[in-house]
Amino acid sequence: MSAPLLQVEHLSKSYGGVQAVRDVSFTLRAGEILALIGPNGAGKSTCFNMLNGQVRRDSGRVLIGGRDTAGLSPRRVWALGVGRTFQITATFASMSVRENVQVGCLSHQGALGRLAGYAGARAREEAEALLALVGMEDAAERPCGELAYGDLKRLELAVALSNAPGLLLMDEPTAGMAPADRVDLMRLVAAIARERRIGILFTEHDMDVVFEHADRVMVLDRGRLIAEGAPEAVRRDPLVQRTYLGEGLLYEKGAA
Amino acid sequence: MKLAVSDLRAWYGPAQILFDVALDVGPGEVVALLGRNGAGKSTTFKAIVGLVERRGRVAFEGRDLGAAETHAIARAGLGYVPEERRIFTELTVAENLEVGRQAPRPGAPTWEPETLYRLFPNLSEMRNRPGGRMSGGEQQMLTIARTLMGNPSLVLLDEPSEGLAPKIVEEMATAILAMKREGLSLLISEQNLHFAKLISDRAVILERGRVRFAGTMAELEADETVRDSFLAM
Amino acid sequence: MDFLVVQFLTGLAGASSLFLVASGLSIIFGVTRIVNFAHGAFYMLGAYAAYSLTERWEGALGFWGGIVAAAIGVAAVGALVEVTLLRRIYRAPELFQLLATFGVTLVVQDLSIILWGPEDLVGRRAPGFRSSISILGQQVPSYDLFLIALGPLVLGLIWLLFHRTRFGVLVRAATQDRDMVAALGVNQRWLFTGVFALGVFLAALGGALQLPRDAVSHTMDLRIIVEVFVVVVIGGLGSVAGAYVAALIVAELNAFGILVLPQVSLVLVFAVMAIVLVVRPYGLFGRPEGPPRTGTAGLIRPWRPFSGGERIAVAVGLVAAAALPLVGGSYLLSVGAEIAIFCLFAASLQLLMSAGGIASFGHAAYFGLGSYGAALAAKTLGWPLPAALAAGAALGTAGAALFGWFCVRLSGVYFAMLTLAFAQIAWSIAFQWTSVTGGDNGILGIWPPPWAGSPAAFYWIALALAAGGIAALRVIAFSPFGYALRAVRDSALKAEAVGISRRAVQWTAFVVAGGFAALAGALFAYLKGSVFPDNLAIPLSVDGLVMVLLGGVETVTGAVVGAVLFRALTIVLMSYTDYSKLVLGLLVVVLVVAFPKGVVGSLQGLRPPWRRAAAPPVAVPAR
């Protein structure tokens, strides 16, 4: 059997004496959708930032396609075929929607060092194909700054797909969206993942999204993985109910 | 009315975030401001205290503060606890409280560090600890205590339960109810309807910068359509 | 050995003044987030005011009273500047604030010449500290020992003020989060004024205390500001303790550097700074800055290349410019060539500021290196005009590659300060290395060969090279590389996440911009027939910034329009007044106050649609 797409072993990180992530291990296979949930401050973002090289880990290993990513910067991790979207959308605000995707495509082609030739005319078809994939082909010419929040999230997805990634890291992909849009976006993500055999790791607070789309769910609390498994099993786990889903006082029973 | 807001509009740069928001808070009342991420709850608070560009009427104890500056609004007795906590991480707990200190004010409960340490027992054990070396829950307690040092008669509390473990949230609810007993009025923004139910008398729901519902908690409880379309808890 | 001890003590004494000024700068920056360029001007004013007061008041009381009164008086002037000028622009981009305080510096320079004359002034010795004390058989001035004791004393007093008084606690709180302090009922306005006055007091005291050691001159402001920038960059902006440690390091490097390598003592200090920054990008005691105030919430229109109609308009403009020799005499042609050269200079800076979002405060360094490169190639090596121009451009490019390598490791105000510091280094090399550069006398007699010698011929050469250079810069702005540069500016985080290296991209832009600036400088050497250290001095760097801001920092090549306007204006001004710095400084201040949201942001509605293509209001880059 070949190496799993993503293999995390004993990952730890502390900030000024506070352990943000302790001894986290898990694997993710191609085409699998894995959710990482837990209370705010549980270490989800730190975990994410270590996976894509933004934060240096204290100890442990992260293997992407069998390759250890120790010491790699985010752009090197991207070159390994990892796409990333951010909790608070990050886009290139001075560019049009298509130009945002073009930057990703040109970077993937290694063409961003060229000092001549109008970039707006390059990698146009690739960019338009990706926009069509996320249903934004009609917005290609619009300035990125005038997009609604849900559209920005879809644009981010298109940019994240521009290097044909095998692994997609999505930090709260539906935060701040209306319920109907959330479901649409996640269905889109799930369809793309299955079709292209992309492994997806995402964090999320919306339990509807988590339980509908994840193949597996991991629960992080105070930096430690406290549960991992199929959505139904995690939902019923008494420890998870106590620390995150709650005992009914603060969260809807059953519906959670 | 303690606080009567009407026609409140606010902007971030050229983007308008609030559209004619109206709400009020009676003396000694706790009002919950509900709505999703991005509905405009935090912006409403920032607009009331003048931290974003805004127009409209903000009548506080009969005085219009709609054009007043932030520090003047705080000096009038309107306290604000921001969502991101924003404690001064370099300062000790005691120094954080010192920044918030203002003279006692008639018609509002008066707080001293010692009374606050009794209300938030965790804090009294760490008076000389820098704010940056406290847990999220302790920071949340400190930011509330710091605002109370200004002896406000009304406090705007932005998402006090956000990111806290349920156990701490329950302690928070206890503290809020204690503040209410002292005679304080509170306007609390919240995403967690269950927490809101524990502490509030009335609710106002915002969506996309507009008020979509205002009524008692019981009315909100009865109105399933409102809950489903604007809260989606 | 004994001599080394004395040299060490001399260094310590120098550290005290440096610390006073640097701590003031650091305190002001911590709370107001303004890098107060005028800090050197206040230091100089402190020295001048102390000179006047101690000359008038007699005795020991008169002397020490005069020193303290001078510092208090200058602090009051500082408070006035804060209330009338800075208060209006706290919400403006950082670049505008630096520019405004630079305007104040220019005004003070000319005012000090008007008030105290151009000559250096030698003040009284300090009563009670006129003697020397013998230490290890060497004579050490007792005043030096007084200064050595003063540094830690002031450090201790500042610590007490910040940790044991309510004012200090509020200042520390405001350093971290100004809005939150306001929301707790503190009137920030007076807090800011108080902090600014305190910082200026320290600067002026530092200047006044130099009186017994050194002559007072009207160049001491720029001399100290560069050293102070180095100190706060090494120590970390906003850290008073860091300022003390860094002041010690810098002063000792100065003291011993003169012994070891007298010619390059300044370079030694900068080498140490470079090492510190590479290891700790926010200085020894500094912390990462918060995100800069850029506010990109507004709707931003993507840049577009010229349409067919616009190309025709540009071509018509060029043809009209090329026809100038048909109507103008030699003076007008020389003015025209100068304007063309500055258009290229401004356009090169604009690539950095607009597409790159990074504001170099020392862009003149590369212009000047171009001038010197061309002049040396022509004079010493006897190269012909084209080869000399190429040599100039090559020298500037090499300089930009070297300095830029360090600069792009930083961001925000650190970047701006480091570019300025490097420009000042280049300036002092040109000034001090007389055997090669001729020092203050410059290099004279650089004339074009006969085929290019007529005013019309040289004008055409300048116009062609400038137009070609600007066109190339425009092509680069729209190239894949230009997109990468803008991507880094828009969101460094996102750019890194799609495989773009911020440093590599910004460094390349820095080198390209430096190269074109150097070409402009090389042309300038031939236009004037001479090269002086002024060609790389700070005022020229600021001219570049003003031209870009005037033309529109959010445009692709609007700086060309800004350069035409600004250069024409200054040429007119120079012929009417002896106090060009005063006028220029006031102009900068008025410009900044009148358009706090950015010049072009305020004028946008008045401009034709083809000029409205926009990028975000950018001052200094995000990390």
Side-chain angles (χ1 to χ4, degrees):
Chain A
M1 194 185 140
S2 66
L5 179 61
L6 171 69
Q7 187 166 356
V8 175
E9 295 170 354
H10 310 294
L11 198 58
S12 293
K13 176 80 192 176
S14 60
Y15 292 109
V18 181
Q19 278 260 292
V21 172
R22 4 182 167 187
D23 198 27
V24 167
S25 302
F26 63 92
T27 57
L28 172 66
R29 282 180 302 281
E32 189 183 25
I33 301 181
L34 177 60
L36 180 62
I37 63 173
N40 282 29
K44 299 191 300 288
S45 289
T46 307
C47 215
F48 249 68
N49 290 337
M50 280 191 284
L51 294 185
N52 92 320
Q54 211 163 298
V55 168
R56 221 165 263 273
R57 53 196 179 242
D58 290 346
S59 62
R61 294 207 303 164
V62 175
L63 302 162
I64 293 174
R67 190 176 156 187
D68 194 337
T69 64
L72 294 190
S73 62
R75 71 196 154 85
R76 303 265 182 232
V77 174
W78 145 275
L80 292 177
V82 178
R84 156 119 207 221
T85 67
F86 293 88
Q87 185 175 350
I88 297 162
T89 54
T91 51
F92 306 128
S94 74
M95 299 180 196
S96 74
V97 168
R98 191 186 50 237
E99 285 170 341
N100 265 271
V101 186
Q102 278 173 301
V103 168
C105 294
L106 287 170
S107 175
H108 182 48
Q109 296 169 6
L112 278 178
R114 290 168 197 266
L115 290 169
Y118 177 42
R122 305 176 66 120
R124 229 181 140 103
E125 292 75 30
E126 293 95 315
E128 272 162 10
L130 285 168
L131 285 175
L133 188 65
V134 300
M136 288 193 62
E137 61 271 42
D138 295 338
E141 296 296 331
R142 290 174 63 191
C144 176
E146 68 176 39
L147 290 184
Y149 197 68
D151 288 342
L152 280 175
K153 289 273 186 187
R154 286 195 287 166
L155 173 57
E156 267 215 297
L157 178 60
V159 175
L161 291 170
S162 64
N163 64 336
L167 171 64
L168 204 50
L169 304 172
M170 305 183 79
D171 202 354
E172 300 204 17
T174 71
M177 294 175 78
D181 295 343
R182 289 179 186 209
V183 173
D184 287 350
L185 182 79
M186 283 314 288
R187 286 200 179 132
L188 176 68
V189 169
I192 292 172
R194 304 240 143 87
E195 185 197 312
R196 306 193 163 197
R197 302 270 307 148
I198 298 174
I200 293 186
L201 176 68
F202 74 106
T203 66
E204 187 54 70
H205 275 306
D206 185 325
M207 290 307 118
D208 290 338
V209 167
V210 170
F211 291 121
E212 185 184 333
H213 295 287
D215 298 320
R216 273 191 303 141
V217 177
M218 297 186 296
V219 187
L220 206 59
D221 181 46
R222 276 173 280 172
R224 210 185 283 280
L225 268 189
I226 59 165
E228 185 197 342
E232 219 19 63
V234 167
R235 184 192 296 196
R236 287 209 213 91
D237 186 319
L239 181 61
V240 175
Q241 290 190 350
R242 201 157 58 241
T243 52
Y244 183 54
L245 298 178
E247 296 176 72
L249 183 61
L250 296 160
Y251 291 91
E252 208 81 61
K253 265 191 198 121
Chain B
M1 277 299 130
K2 191 87 197 162
L3 174 74
V5 173
S6 51
D7 300 324
L8 188 64
R9 286 156 289 152
W11 292 262
Y12 281 125
Q16 185 166 1
I17 307 294
L18 297 185
F19 302 86
D20 304 318
V21 166
L23 54 86
D24 46 41
V25 182
E29 197 178 29
V30 178
V31 176
L33 186 61
L34 306 172
R36 276 194 290 270
N37 271 347
K41 303 187 297 293
S42 291
T43 309
T44 302
F45 283 6
K46 286 180 183 161
I48 291 173
V49 298
L51 286 174
V52 290
E53 195 188 332
R54 90 289 203 203
R55 301 273 179 285
R57 239 182 99 71
V58 177
F60 178 63
E61 296 177 339
R63 261 174 78 189
D64 186 14
L65 299 177
E69 288 180 86
T70 303
H71 70 89
I73 292 170
R75 298 218 146 224
L78 202 159
Y80 165 59
V81 180
E83 174 184 24
E84 317 86 9
R85 304 194 183 125
R86 291 165 76 168
I87 56 156
F88 305 113
T89 50
E90 304 289 302
L91 275 56
T92 63
V93 168
E95 285 173 333
N96 264 281
L97 294 180
E98 170 64 26
V99 175
R101 185 166 59 80
Q102 287 179 42
R105 147 184 13 259
T110 299
W111 305 87
E112 291 292 332
E114 290 310 318
T115 45
L116 287 167
Y117 289 137
R118 273 200 295 282
L119 184 65
F120 301 109
N122 283 354
L123 295 183
S124 75
E125 292 152 24
M126 45 181 78
R127 297 174 195 207
N128 291 316
R129 184 181 295 188
R133 308 200 53 167
M134 302 167 74
S135 73
E138 289 155 2
Q139 291 192 354
Q140 185 67 30
M141 306 289 177
L142 176 58
T143 170
I144 293 173
R146 186 179 65 182
T147 296
L148 293 179
M149 281 294 288
N151 304 312
S153 61
L154 173 93
V155 172
L156 311 178
L157 209 51
D158 200 358
E159 305 234 6
S161 75
E162 170 75 12
L164 299 182
K167 184 171 162 286
I168 308 283
V169 174
E170 281 165 26
E171 283 176 35
M172 186 65 68
T174 315
I176 288 170
L177 292 172
M179 283 148 65
K180 185 184 178 186
R181 275 197 303 279
E182 293 286 327
L184 213 62
S185 314
L186 291 126
L187 179 60
I188 302 178
S189 84
E190 210 21 87
Q191 291 212 62
N192 187 327
L193 185 57
H194 306 278
F195 179 68
K197 272 192 261 178
L198 285 179
I199 53 173
S200 330
D201 304 311
R202 284 192 300 121
V204 173
I205 297 181
L206 284 183
E207 198 212 30
R208 294 193 193 169
R210 292 184 169 83
V211 172
R212 296 300 176 137
F213 170 89
T216 63
M217 290 313 284
E219 284 165 0
L220 177 60
E221 190 72 1
D223 195 337
E224 209 165 289
T225 353
V226 166
R227 286 200 334 258
D228 286 353
S229 38
F230 302 127
L231 297 177
M233 298 281 173
Chain C
M1 177 61 213
D2 304 346
F3 178 64
L4 292 184
V5 171
V6 172
Q7 200 64 16
F8 180 75
L9 292 176
T10 310
L12 278 185
S16 285
S17 262
L18 207 48
F19 164 64
L20 286 179
V21 185
S23 65
L25 187 79
S26 230
I27 292 168
I28 290 174
F29 174 80
V31 176
T32 66
R33 296 284 134 180
I34 286 184
V35 175
N36 179 26
F37 200 101
H39 218 61
F42 291 123
Y43 165 84
M44 178 174 75
L45 275 183
Y48 271 118
Y51 171 84
S52 293
L53 292 177
T54 53
E55 290 299 305
R56 194 154 305 161
W57 298 344
E58 286 174 10
L61 193 66
F63 180 86
W64 295 110
I67 297 278
V68 173
I72 292 173
V74 175
V77 173
L80 193 70
V81 168
E82 198 275 342
V83 170
T84 54
L85 171 61
L86 299 182
R87 252 185 207 185
R88 297 168 194 276
I89 56 170
Y90 278 127
R91 303 273 167 193
E94 285 156 345
L95 183 58
F96 282 79
Q97 299 164 349
L98 246 173
L99 214 53
T101 54
F102 182 79
V104 172
T105 306
L106 288 177
V107 170
V108 169
Q109 276 182 350
D110 265 359
L111 279 182
S112 70
I113 292 177
I114 294 170
L115 289 174
W116 285 283
E119 303 301 322
D120 288 5
L121 302 173
V122 179
R124 278 164 70 189
R125 309 280 301 276
F129 293 95
R130 291 204 173 104
S131 60
S132 290
I133 290 167
S134 174
I135 294 177
L136 297 173
Q138 303 268 341
Q139 295 299 307
V140 177
S142 56
Y143 189 71
D144 277 10
L145 296 175
F146 163 75
L147 286 181
I148 291 170
L150 191 69
L153 182 71
V154 171
L155 180 63
L157 286 175
I158 293 175
W159 190 90
L160 283 178
L161 177 69
F162 280 6
H163 289 84
R164 292 288 177 266
T165 69
R166 178 169 164 85
F167 172 79
V169 170
L170 294 181
V171 167
R172 281 162 60 219
T175 300
Q176 189 182 346
D177 191 338
R178 295 188 274 185
D179 281 348
M180 198 58 233
V181 171
L184 291 168
V186 178
N187 187 345
Q188 305 182 61
R189 249 190 230 133
W190 294 111
L191 197 62
F192 279 30
T193 308
V195 164
F196 197 82
L198 172 67
V200 170
F201 172 84
L202 289 168
L205 186 64
L209 287 170
Q210 281 300 316
L211 198 57
R213 292 186 97 209
D214 220 343
V216 186
S217 82
H218 58 90
T219 58
M220 60 195 288
D221 56 346
L222 289 188
R223 244 188 300 140
I224 191 91
I225 196 72
V226 171
E227 283 206 336
V228 163
F229 275 16
V230 172
V231 166
V232 294
V233 165
I234 290 179
L237 266 175
S239 163
V240 175
Y244 186 70
V245 173
L248 285 182
I249 294 173
V250 168
E252 291 301 344
L253 281 172
N254 278 337
F256 286 100
I258 283 178
L259 296 181
V260 187
L261 299 160
Q263 289 302 322
V264 291
S265 55
L266 250 178
V267 178
L268 189 66
V269 171
F270 279 83
V272 169
M273 175 174 81
I275 293 166
V276 168
L277 286 177
V278 169
V279 180
R280 296 187 61 99
Y282 301 99
L284 293 175
F285 292 75
R287 269 165 229 290
E289 295 167 56
R293 291 182 300 274
T294 44
T296 48
L299 175 61
I300 295 146
R301 302 236 154 259
W303 284 352
R304 290 276 163 259
F306 283 140
S307 66
E310 286 160 356
R311 279 168 202 230
I312 293 170
V314 170
V316 168
L318 260 180
V319 170
L324 186 66
L326 302 180
V327 292
S330 62
Y331 175 71
L332 196 61
L333 287 177
S334 127
V335 168
E338 183 169 338
I339 288 175
I341 288 167
F342 277 94
C343 284
L344 178 58
F345 174 58
S348 72
L349 180 59
Q350 179 150 44
L351 179 74
L352 278 185
M353 287 173 67
S354 298
I358 47 182
S360 168
F361 268 61
H363 204 53
Y366 315 106
F367 183 90
L369 283 174
S371 296
Y372 275 100
L376 291 170
K379 285 289 281 188
T380 8
L381 304 173
W383 288 10
L385 173 79
L389 289 182
L395 185 64
T397 307
L402 177 67
F403 294 162
W405 190 84
F406 292 103
C407 293
V408 298
R409 263 140 230 285
L410 311 184
S411 57
V413 289
Y414 281 90
F415 174 88
M417 290 166 82
L418 193 60
T419 53
L420 181 90
F422 275 128
Q424 194 62 10
I425 283 282
W427 179 85
S428 42
I429 291 173
F431 192 80
Q432 285 175 352
W433 200 9
T434 40
S435 59
V436 173
T437 63
D440 209 10
N441 296 323
I443 303 172
L444 306 176
I446 310 142
W447 300 111
W451 60 268
S454 79
F458 191 79
Y459 169 75
W460 277 323
I461 290 172
L463 183 67
L465 285 175
I470 293 163
L473 286 162
R474 229 186 127 81
V475 166
I476 291 170
F478 284 104
S479 72
F481 171 77
Y483 274 63
L485 188 59
R486 280 160 59 198
V488 167
R489 175 201 63 191
D490 284 355
S491 170
L493 188 71
K494 183 75 179 181
E496 192 77 26
V498 297
I500 301 172
S501 160
R502 179 183 79 80
R503 278 182 196 170
V505 164
Q506 290 188 340
W507 182 68
T508 310
F510 200 92
V511 174
V512 168
F516 282 103
L519 178 62
L523 282 168
F524 192 68
Y526 276 99
L527 173 71
K528 295 290 173 186
S530 55
V531 178
F532 298 102
D534 276 0
N535 287 26
L536 16 73
I538 292 170
L540 188 64
S541 293
V542 175
D543 284 0
L545 291 170
V546 174
M547 289 185 243
V548 173
L549 292 179
L550 205 60
V553 74
E554 84 296 22
T555 63
V556 187
T557 38
V560 170
V561 177
V564 172
L565 285 175
F566 182 76
R567 206 63 208 175
L569 190 69
T570 35
I571 289 170
V572 171
L573 270 180
M574 295 283 240
S575 55
Y576 281 101
T577 171
D578 291 337
Y579 299 109
S580 56
K581 284 181 190 166
L582 184 68
V583 177
L584 182 60
L586 287 174
L587 193 72
V588 168
V589 167
V590 168
L591 212 64
V592 168
V593 172
F595 307 108
K597 286 178 182 165
V599 178
V600 178
S602 314
L603 295 179
Q604 202 142 39
L606 305 174
R607 301 184 321 147
W610 62 273
R611 303 249 326 145
R612 281 191 205 144
V618 167
V620 269
R623 66 197 58 197

